[in-house]
Amino acid sequence: MLTCGTSYMGYTACLYRQYVVGRAPTSAERSSYTKLTDRLDLAMSLMKPGASTADVAAVLAPAEDLGFPSEAECFSIELGHGIGLVNAGSRAIHYNPPTITRSWSLAHPEEIKEGMVIAIEGIEGEHRVGGVRLENLVVVTANGAELLDHYPRLDMVQTAG
């Protein structure tokens, strides 16, 4: 399931979910899913007012771990980006500030502020062979990141249809 840049009245959303359908997930698929959800959960736990995008980017997977030769080549693979009401002409844009990537944020940190809506996404598995890609949508509150999407997360690899 993918909704990337879906917009309604100027509000945009970005969300990825993958499902295993028709069979039980393999141990490698379960492992990839757990590794990725743990990493994204850690990244979300760091999204608090006053924290920086560098704090979050530091826990994202390095390009080499994902099978890419450089951070620039996986810029949109392991990524956090703002979601909001930004318009360019008559078209909504879903990649807004702040930007959270290892290639940008470690050298150019931005402050995370209460009220920001951020999509955090990642990938895990064997590059160009198979794995899992997920994205979560959060709002930054005074107490930290709160999930906005209510699509199931934990049962996706535990059930086969």
Side-chain angles (χ1 to χ4, degrees):
M1 196 254 333
L2 164 67
T3 174
C4 184
T6 303
S7 180
Y8 176 72
M9 295 180 65
Y11 292 90
T12 55
C14 199
L15 176 71
Y16 302 145
R17 289 290 187 264
Q18 287 185 314
Y19 299 86
V20 172
V21 178
R23 63 170 174 78
T26 66
S27 61
E29 289 167 337
R30 285 184 189 276
S31 176
S32 290
Y33 187 84
T34 299
K35 193 172 181 181
L36 179 56
T37 56
D38 287 351
R39 186 166 65 245
L40 293 180
D41 286 348
L42 177 58
M44 289 184 297
S45 76
L46 299 171
M47 293 181 192
K48 299 175 182 175
S52 80
T53 55
D55 299 330
V56 180
V59 302
L60 298 179
E64 300 78 28
D65 290 0
L66 299 174
F68 293 90
S70 72
E71 294 296 338
E73 291 189 39
C74 72
F75 183 81
S76 66
I77 302 296
E78 197 84 350
L79 167 74
H81 60 87
I83 297 282
L85 281 171
V86 176
N87 280 311
S90 62
R91 161 175 180 265
I93 297 175
H94 69 280
Y95 287 108
N96 297 313
T99 299
I100 305 171
T101 66
R102 294 178 59 83
S103 63
W104 175 257
S105 303
L106 297 177
H108 307 283
E110 300 170 72
E111 182 181 356
I112 295 175
K113 298 176 183 174
E114 186 174 355
M116 286 182 164
V117 178
I118 299 172
I120 185 77
E121 57 192 273
I123 193 167
E124 189 62 46
E126 191 175 346
H127 182 57
R128 305 227 185 264
V129 174
V132 63
R133 181 147 175 79
L134 299 172
E135 183 172 25
N136 296 310
L137 193 59
V138 302
V139 62
V140 179
T141 71
N143 298 319
E146 178 183 321
L147 273 172
L148 286 175
D149 59 79
H150 297 284
Y151 290 98
R153 294 178 68 212
L154 300 178
D155 61 346
M156 281 183 220
V157 294
Q158 296 170 352
T159 60

